[in-house]
Amino acid sequence: MNGKETGKTLLSLLVTKLFFNPIGIIAIGIAILLILVPVFMSMASKGEHFNLENPDSNRNALLSASGGAYCASDGEVDTERWAEAFAAAGVFSGTGDLFLETAEEQGIDPVLMAAIAFHETGKGTSSAVREKNNPGGLMGTDGLMVFGTLEEGIAAMGVTLHNRIIEDGLVTISDLGAVYAPIGASNDPTNLNSHWVPNVTALVSSLGGLTMNCTLASGEFAKPIPDVTVNSNYGVRVDPFTGEVSSHLGVDLDCQAPNPIFAAKAGRVVYAAYPPSGELRTYGNVVVIAHENGLFSLYAHLSRIAVQVGQEVDQLAPVGQCGSTGRSTGDHLHFEIHTGVMFGTRVNPMEYLASPASE
């Protein structure tokens, strides 16, 4: 018997032992699982969502979540919040109508324009806007551009945003920020641009939400973190602590402390604490909000809780700050949706998040 024949015989015996033996079949199943789970986890680390039952629809849900932004429930500027914000906005005081007019002329969202101006100028107090009439951090060949009047600066900012949003199609806060304030830019040695997207998003929320290019349909669950990336999906995964295959009862969303975490939907706070004992301590600082139709949303690992039990919260109201309290490997938000009762049946949160508005 030559070497090839010996090899074939041994292979035949191996296949027989494996496929016609219960223990062998189990071993094969475990091997396949160990191969596939890392593949799914790799997809999750890239922000992709994979659900064995319906991969296409859930991937679409995740893609919509990765490019969206927070919206006003009625698609209109909240005039009360708008007036209050501009009344305490340094040199911008009294220019609220000018921002509205400029945004309308350029076909852009006034809320987004105001949020960017507030962020770029420390809400109307920076030297750039006080001395150079530059409300948008606009750069020229010689550095920050100088305008003769604040009105000229606001007009120039409107044109710039029109070019980026309308002409270039950068309709989400993250896409716009990647160009308007690119991370790693040579003129940003202290990495301030990394705060641009979360800060502008928080300012948008404080002004009542976007009025254009919205992905949130009224009444649905909003994304608790803007432009979200999913780090770990709902369902089967490899536990990062034990290395064993386990069931993940929510989704882990990427964020960095102390970025704000927002209420996914209006409701009443029914839990807001660091659980004193038991398995719930793994959540760290956790907030649970009760919604209509027997639904609950949960926000875990917060570095800070910003609400109290019994408090009524609006959709997109801040509930706390991103963190890594409890059983956590680093800054992120663990987000769950429960049905029936608090800490009851956990369901896939991605199925409840808003989808893009139809064009």
Side-chain angles (χ1 to χ4, degrees):
M1 184 179 294
N2 60 32
K4 287 185 179 181
E5 291 175 341
T6 302
K8 289 180 181 179
T9 300
L10 291 174
L11 179 61
S12 176
L13 289 172
L14 178 62
V15 170
T16 300
K17 290 289 185 181
L18 286 176
F19 285 94
F20 295 96
N21 186 303
I23 297 177
I25 294 174
I26 293 173
I28 293 172
I30 292 174
I32 292 173
L33 183 61
L34 291 175
I35 293 171
L36 292 180
V37 167
V39 173
F40 299 155
M41 293 300 294
S42 175
M43 294 174 68
S45 67
K46 297 176 183 178
E48 298 180 13
H49 181 61
F50 192 89
N51 184 296
L52 292 175
E53 295 180 357
N54 195 345
D56 292 333
S57 65
N58 285 304
R59 183 175 185 276
N60 291 337
L62 180 61
L63 291 176
S64 72
S66 69
Y70 296 139
C71 306
S73 59
D74 59 0
E76 301 291 337
V77 173
D78 186 320
T79 54
E80 183 176 347
R81 292 191 184 188
W82 185 266
E84 290 178 355
F86 275 90
V91 299
F92 292 139
S93 179
T95 64
D97 288 344
L98 180 58
F99 270 83
L100 292 172
E101 294 168 5
T102 302
E104 183 176 4
E105 290 173 0
Q106 298 299 332
I108 59 178
D109 190 335
V111 172
L112 178 57
M113 182 180 179
I116 293 172
F118 286 178
H119 169 73
E120 293 289 341
T121 65
K123 208 169 184 182
T125 62
S126 71
S127 59
V129 70
R130 288 187 290 102
E131 300 170 9
K132 300 182 179 183
N133 294 312
N134 188 333
L138 303 183
M139 303 294 291
T141 55
D142 297 322
L144 277 171
M145 299 176 68
V146 180
F147 300 95
T149 66
L150 181 57
E151 289 75 13
E152 291 179 8
I154 292 173
M157 181 185 181
V159 171
T160 298
L161 289 176
H162 170 91
N163 291 339
R164 300 289 79 77
I165 297 170
I166 306 300
E167 300 298 330
D168 297 342
L170 305 176
V171 297
T172 70
I173 293 176
S174 61
D175 287 346
L176 182 61
V179 173
Y180 204 94
I183 296 175
S186 59
N187 62 351
D188 182 35
T190 58
N191 201 31
L192 291 177
N193 286 353
S194 64
H195 303 290
W196 197 94
V197 169
N199 286 354
V200 169
T201 301
L203 285 164
V204 163
S205 178
S206 71
L207 288 167
L210 297 179
T211 63
M212 300 174 64
N213 298 317
C214 293
T215 62
L216 175 63
S218 178
E220 295 181 319
F221 281 80
K223 294 170 286 294
I225 298 175
D227 308 303
V228 64
T229 296
V230 176
N231 285 340
S232 184
N233 298 294
Y234 171 88
V236 176
R237 70 165 184 175
V238 175
D239 188 290
F241 287 92
T242 66
E244 298 177 355
V245 175
S246 63
S247 178
H248 193 215
L249 300 178
V251 292
D252 290 344
L253 308 179
D254 184 43
C255 64
Q256 291 78 45
N259 290 349
I261 302 299
F262 302 97
K265 192 174 183 179
R268 180 171 57 86
V269 178
V270 292
Y271 196 97
Y274 196 123
S277 61
E279 293 184 4
L280 293 182
R281 282 187 60 81
T282 61
Y283 285 111
N285 285 322
V286 61
V287 169
V288 180
I289 301 174
H291 310 286
E292 59 186 0
N293 300 326
L295 296 175
F296 298 79
S297 58
L298 177 146
Y299 315 78
H301 306 307
L302 304 176
S303 61
R304 176 178 173 272
I305 293 175
V307 292
Q308 297 178 342
V309 172
Q311 180 178 341
E312 298 288 339
V313 295
D314 294 330
Q315 189 173 48
L316 304 180
V319 298
Q321 295 177 344
C322 175
S324 185
T325 57
R327 189 172 182 264
S328 169
T329 58
D331 286 354
H332 73 283
L333 173 71
H334 176 79
F335 178 63
E336 295 180 359
I337 290 183
H338 308 167
T339 62
V341 296
M342 179 171 59
F343 303 116
T345 301
R346 274 78 159 184
V347 293
N348 188 348
M350 300 306 296
E351 297 177 359
Y352 287 78
L353 296 183
S355 299
S358 58
E359 299 181 358

